[in-house]
Amino acid sequence: MLSGQIPILVLKEGTARESGKDAQRNNIEAAKAIADTIKTTLGPKGMDKMLVDSLGDITISNDGATIMKQMDVDHPTAKMIVEIAKGQDQEVGDGTTSAVVIAGELLKQAEVLLEQSVHPTVIANGYKLASTKATEVLDKIALKNIDDVSLKNVAKTAMTGKNVGGVTDFLADIAVKAVKSIVEERDGKKVVDVDNILVQKKFGGGITDTELIEGVVIDKEKVHPRMPSEVTGAKIALIDSGLEIKKTEIDAKIQITDPSKIQAFLDQEEETLKTMADKIKKAGANVVLSQKGVDDLAQHFLAKEGIYAVRRVKKSDMEKIAKATGARIITNLDDLSQKDLGFANKVEERKIGDDRLTFIMGCKFPKSVSIMIRGGTQHTIDEVERALHDALKVVGVAIEDGAIVVGGGAIEAEIALELRKLAPTVGGREQLAIESFANALEVIPRTLAENAGMDSIDTLLALRVAHQSGKKNFGVDALDGATGDMLAKNVLEPTRVKSHAIESATEVATMILRIDDVISSKKSKSEGGPQGGGPEGMGGMGGMGGMGGMPPM
Ligand code: ADP
Ligand code: MG
């Protein structure tokens, strides 16, 4: 009935469109390509990637999140995969590579089912059932008694494979101590915000000179040599403006005709700066930290009063110090009073490497610690920082949830076993999807084995047999190149690393599966776009609607 009619143009000219099988295949391929790229970095024997950005700067890392951040991905579904890594990194700090690799494998398995004409919606449903079951299994077999030794092992597992070998034990100790000192209780729940740990990096020394400091360290020295190097019983004023004469926003010119007036003008300036120092003194402060500059003359007056002053403190540091010392950040010196001051047992200047830093120790709220990272090269320091980031996060997550599982592919093998038991009870074609999900999870032990140079098929078979006979902790010991009990080998991870990875991989994989049409508007002429086609299409619809609406009238 439509034949002979002129086709209605809904999309703007130049819009690219891919639909049906083509769209699906291309989306799956793009996602798989990303997963395959980072697969080789998985586990303690994973290789590194060297990433060169458009400016020629180099990053060498095997951290999934870092690699993903640097990769300039263009394909829309590949971008969705990159998003998984970002989300995983933010939420749990580890398991980024795993999440991406699982997503890629879920799609690869789905491809096989699609070829057998299983409908994408059926696959998606089966995958969702499987993912829910996986979370249940995780909850059921998680270890709930977590002591400091387990926490340390969680930290060490997160750091294996990073280029900090040899000192993981040392760094794990620091991570556990740091996190334990900032745990807060809220509504009977443990809450850890690792952002409360101030991480400072200072070039020089060795990694083992890295230290945990029970206080806040800022990378700034006192502004004047005649100020005291150490203040005990510190009363700290935090000012987010400067201790200087404000420059006018617009160019102002002051014309002084009488030479004697020059002196008066300068005296006036001096007086203003002296008043500033007096106000600080009057409030009872013996330490002042300014977010902006401190004028030379103001420095002189402050030094005369024996006040320790620091300038150009970062806003984020100011906030941490406020929290740690109980100080209130003020803008106008006139508002400064004794109750705005923070307290610390000691503020002192210490020399680290070539630099002088300010240490604020014994703060009013002891839940404030800093980690000072040291290392011989910038690359080392950066890698230590990344390793510690992961370690702090996973220890925090383990404390918050109070649940950890055994790594090395053991947990994935166990979930696969449970899914294979579940599948026949579900029946229908969803059963096939659940079985595929089980196969997909085994990508983790398989890849760990592959990257360690082990035979992946033999390894998987050994794992299946072991798990069938009830050995829940049997996994791949990538460091020894053998299979074994991963609990005995202390390879532990927070449960949330696994549940989050599986959930987000499932979410993205099913989302990608259900797409049968990719419509991309042309990039160059931005205005109009798809909406440009709107009115035309709507017009047609409106006409129809009008006709349909006729009879009742
Ligand atoms: P991700 O970005 O997913 O955390 P990693 O490269 O850190 O990727 O590898 C994590 C995987 O390596 C996890 O499955 C973890 O259980 C495993 N793993 C860590 N340490 C060991 C170890 N010593 N032996 C075997 N597997 C390990
Ligand atoms: Mg990791």
Side-chain angles (χ1 to χ4, degrees):
M1 132 185 154
L2 283 172
S3 63
Q5 266 185 347
I6 306 160
I8 300 172
L9 271 185
V10 179
L11 298 172
K12 199 176 178 183
E13 207 179 333
T15 305
R17 181 167 180 184
E18 250 171 26
S19 44
K21 289 243 157 61
D22 275 346
Q24 216 163 40
R25 200 175 311 120
N26 287 345
N27 285 341
I28 292 176
E29 287 312 318
K32 269 165 53 188
I34 294 278
D36 281 343
T37 312
I38 67 158
K39 220 172 177 178
T40 56
T41 69
L42 187 80
K45 286 284 176 83
M47 301 294 278
D48 292 350
K49 301 273 168 203
M50 180 188 255
L51 298 140
V52 187
D53 69 11
S54 51
L55 296 172
D57 284 341
I58 295 170
T59 310
I60 297 173
S61 179
N62 79 1
D63 182 68
T66 310
I67 298 169
M68 292 291 196
K69 251 182 245 157
Q70 300 272 335
M71 279 198 325
D72 205 358
V73 172
D74 198 35
H75 195 281
T77 42
K79 279 188 180 151
M80 288 167 70
I81 297 283
V82 172
E83 287 303 315
I84 309 182
K86 284 191 195 151
Q88 179 84 15
D89 189 41
Q90 265 167 21
E91 280 293 311
V92 275
D94 194 23
T96 48
T97 312
S98 305
V100 170
V101 169
I102 293 173
E105 195 65 21
L106 283 174
L107 287 166
K108 200 168 178 179
Q109 296 288 337
E111 235 178 354
V112 180
L113 295 177
L114 288 172
E115 266 159 33
Q116 295 166 11
S117 304
V118 181
H119 195 275
T121 324
V122 175
I123 304 176
N125 285 344
Y127 275 9
K128 277 189 194 133
L129 285 174
S131 167
T132 311
K133 177 73 182 176
T135 317
E136 280 170 29
V137 175
L138 279 170
D139 280 344
K140 207 174 95 202
I141 63 176
L143 309 168
K144 305 270 162 63
N145 283 326
I146 306 176
D147 54 11
D148 284 7
V149 179
S150 329
L151 286 178
K152 196 173 153 186
N153 286 324
V154 166
K156 279 167 79 171
T157 303
M159 287 190 284
T160 36
K162 308 263 182 289
N163 297 322
V164 290
V167 290
T168 42
D169 204 71
F170 171 79
L171 292 176
D173 260 332
I174 291 186
V176 173
K177 275 195 198 127
V179 175
K180 281 191 73 177
S181 61
I182 57 147
V183 180
E184 290 171 61
E185 290 263 344
R186 260 181 243 158
D187 308 328
K189 265 189 172 167
K190 288 192 170 125
V191 181
V192 177
D193 183 0
V194 293
D195 288 340
N196 285 337
I197 300 169
L198 189 76
V199 177
Q200 294 282 8
K201 303 185 279 185
K202 264 284 149 242
F203 179 74
I207 298 181
T208 47
D209 293 320
T210 298
E211 63 175 319
L212 176 69
I213 294 145
E214 301 197 349
V216 185
V217 180
I218 43 176
D219 193 355
K220 298 280 170 195
E221 56 190 351
K222 61 181 185 189
V223 286
H224 197 282
R226 279 211 306 279
M227 287 176 175
S229 296
E230 189 184 310
V231 178
T232 41
K235 301 215 178 62
I236 305 162
L238 299 181
I239 295 158
D240 67 3
S241 53
L243 299 176
E244 53 199 348
I245 308 277
K246 275 207 189 76
K247 302 273 183 304
T248 47
E249 298 272 320
I250 35 166
D251 267 342
K253 217 186 251 170
I254 301 172
Q255 271 197 355
I256 300 172
T257 39
D258 181 354
S260 69
K261 293 263 169 63
I262 296 182
Q263 196 51 46
F265 183 70
L266 291 177
D267 288 348
Q268 168 77 35
E269 271 205 359
E270 187 177 324
E271 194 49 39
T272 312
L273 291 165
K274 183 162 189 314
T275 322
M276 283 181 180
D278 286 345
K279 281 177 189 156
I280 291 165
K281 172 88 185 163
K282 221 178 101 213
N286 48 17
V287 174
V288 59
L289 308 182
S290 161
Q291 203 176 307
K292 306 252 169 68
V294 178
D295 187 279
D296 286 354
L297 262 176
Q299 290 177 19
H300 162 80
F301 290 123
L302 288 167
K304 247 171 79 179
E305 300 289 358
I307 295 173
Y308 185 113
V310 179
R311 68 178 163 190
R312 299 195 209 293
V313 180
K314 273 195 291 184
K315 185 164 190 265
S316 57
D317 287 355
M318 291 284 276
E319 280 157 8
K320 285 202 179 94
I321 298 161
K323 204 167 167 190
T325 63
R328 201 168 70 91
I329 302 173
I330 59 136
T331 307
N332 189 341
L333 268 184
D334 292 331
D335 298 340
L336 185 68
S337 74
Q338 199 172 355
K339 64 180 196 315
D340 299 316
L341 304 180
F343 183 80
N345 285 334
K346 192 153 116 188
V347 170
E348 65 174 326
E349 188 185 71
R350 277 195 221 164
K351 199 167 175 214
I352 303 277
D354 291 335
D355 299 305
R356 291 173 193 281
L357 286 78
T358 297
F359 284 62
I360 304 170
M361 313 289 285
C363 297
K364 187 169 175 189
F365 301 102
K367 285 184 197 311
S368 44
V369 292
S370 307
I371 296 175
M372 170 78 67
I373 301 177
R374 307 297 310 280
T377 70
Q378 203 54 49
H379 274 294
T380 320
I381 295 177
D382 289 346
E383 194 68 18
V384 169
E385 187 187 20
R386 281 194 286 266
L388 266 179
H389 161 85
D390 286 13
L392 293 173
K393 273 281 221 187
V394 290
V395 171
V397 166
I399 292 178
E400 278 185 348
D401 297 353
I404 53 179
V405 288
V406 177
I411 188 71
E412 287 84 0
E414 184 65 19
I415 298 173
L417 174 78
E418 291 294 329
L419 287 177
R420 290 196 181 103
K421 281 189 204 156
L422 169 78
T425 67
V426 173
R429 291 188 169 202
E430 261 113 5
Q431 170 178 352
L432 298 176
I434 295 174
E435 277 160 4
S436 297
F437 196 99
N439 296 340
L441 284 186
E442 282 177 341
V443 72
I444 300 294
R446 197 169 65 227
T447 310
L448 286 172
E450 258 165 34
N451 290 349
M454 297 159 70
D455 186 300
S456 57
I457 296 178
D458 285 352
T459 307
L460 260 198
L461 289 177
L463 248 62
R464 282 187 192 175
V465 171
H467 281 261
Q468 256 155 16
S469 62
K471 292 183 186 160
K472 289 186 168 41
N473 302 327
F474 205 78
V476 182
D477 182 355
L479 293 175
D480 277 355
T483 48
D485 187 316
M486 299 315 286
L487 179 61
K489 310 236 177 202
N490 298 321
V491 177
L492 298 173
E493 294 181 85
T495 307
R496 208 197 299 172
V497 170
K498 300 296 176 191
S499 57
H500 195 278
I502 294 175
E503 277 158 25
S504 54
T506 308
E507 204 172 292
V508 168
T510 51
M511 211 185 275
I512 291 175
L513 276 177
R514 299 168 80 124
I515 298 170
D516 77 338
D517 214 342
V518 178
I519 305 165
S520 355
S521 24
K522 225 167 137 189
K523 271 185 190 149
S524 51
K525 288 183 221 151
S526 55
E527 40 34 279
Q531 292 104 308
E536 262 179 75
M538 294 293 278
M541 301 261 290
M544 296 276 284
M547 270 156 63
M550 285 280 221
M553 277 177 77

